[in-house]
Amino acid sequence: PNGVVIESLNNVGPRNVALRNTEYIDFEVKYDWPTKTMGRFIFSADATHYLAQASTSELGGTEFSYVGLFDGDVVYPKWKGRLMTRWSMDAYSAALTGNYTGGTIDDTGAQERLEQDWTIDVQVGYKLPLGQNRFGSTLTIGARNVLDNPPPTSPGSFSNNYPERSYDSRGRFLYVKFDQQF
């Protein structure tokens, strides 16, 4: 109200950002392996390596780098990635995905680090024989975070003792999906 720019909220870093600089490198490898008797397999891996995630709180101000830090609100890992295997044959399909978020320094002072995090997702699908396959109906059943891995916690988190803007707290999440094309 008095025109003062708030630079920090209880040691969680700048929020009124005048400039943000993000630099990263994306990697992706994919292999498609069709077979005659076992169906089609697709293997893929993708990763992001963050080189810069910095901001200033005012024009001409000093840049503050967040790469490798948890600032109490958001996790800024150096690496994030995903490994995936997909299979399909006739009307059937399946997928297995591993999601990775690298560990970070806990800049809140509440603890030393937030550890790296892995979650695994699975799903199976079946193309329903509706309308002589003219409509492309698919029924999918799956689970996100099938091993019920909780997000990393920190007493210095802005709320809820975990970085809620970077992780999902729901744990294992089961779903059923019906896709219909016309």
Side-chain angles (χ1 to χ4, degrees):
N2 59 2
V4 175
V5 174
I6 298 171
E7 291 191 10
S8 66
L9 301 171
N10 297 330
N11 297 323
V12 295
R15 286 295 174 256
N16 294 323
V17 177
L19 174 68
R20 177 155 290 179
N21 176 36
T22 303
E23 295 176 22
Y24 55 89
I25 299 172
D26 283 333
F27 303 91
E28 182 178 15
V29 176
K30 186 175 184 180
Y31 181 71
D32 191 340
W33 181 35
T35 69
K36 293 182 180 183
T37 58
M38 297 185 302
R40 179 182 199 159
F41 295 88
I42 298 174
F43 304 96
S44 64
D46 58 72
T48 300
H49 178 57
Y50 290 91
L51 304 170
Q53 179 68 43
S55 64
T56 59
S57 58
E58 59 188 32
L59 290 175
T62 304
E63 205 173 75
F64 181 80
S65 176
Y66 288 96
V67 173
L69 296 178
F70 166 57
D71 70 353
D73 192 26
V74 178
V75 171
Y76 298 98
K78 291 181 181 178
W79 286 95
K80 289 178 81 172
R82 179 177 58 184
L83 297 171
M84 186 184 317
T85 299
R86 290 180 278 177
W87 168 82
S88 60
M89 185 172 173
D90 301 325
Y92 300 94
S93 64
L96 176 67
T97 305
N99 305 290
Y100 172 78
T101 303
T104 59
I105 295 170
D106 188 342
D107 200 37
T108 68
Q111 62 188 28
E112 191 173 318
R113 293 189 56 77
L114 264 71
E115 295 302 320
Q116 65 184 0
D117 184 61
W118 276 98
T119 59
I120 296 174
D121 306 334
V122 297
Q123 74 175 29
V124 293
Y126 178 68
K127 291 182 183 176
L128 300 168
L130 300 177
Q132 299 172 345
N133 289 329
R134 290 182 299 179
F135 298 116
S137 305
T138 305
L139 180 64
T140 305
I141 299 171
R144 291 191 183 131
N145 191 4
V146 72
L147 299 177
D148 202 22
N149 183 29
T153 60
S154 170
S157 292
F158 184 67
S159 62
N160 299 325
N161 286 331
Y162 78 96
E164 64 184 18
R165 291 181 58 190
S166 301
Y167 297 97
D168 189 344
S169 69
R170 291 180 290 185
R172 182 181 303 118
F173 179 77
L174 306 174
Y175 62 90
V176 175
K177 180 172 76 167
F178 178 76
D179 288 321
Q180 179 65 59
Q181 297 180 11
F182 296 96

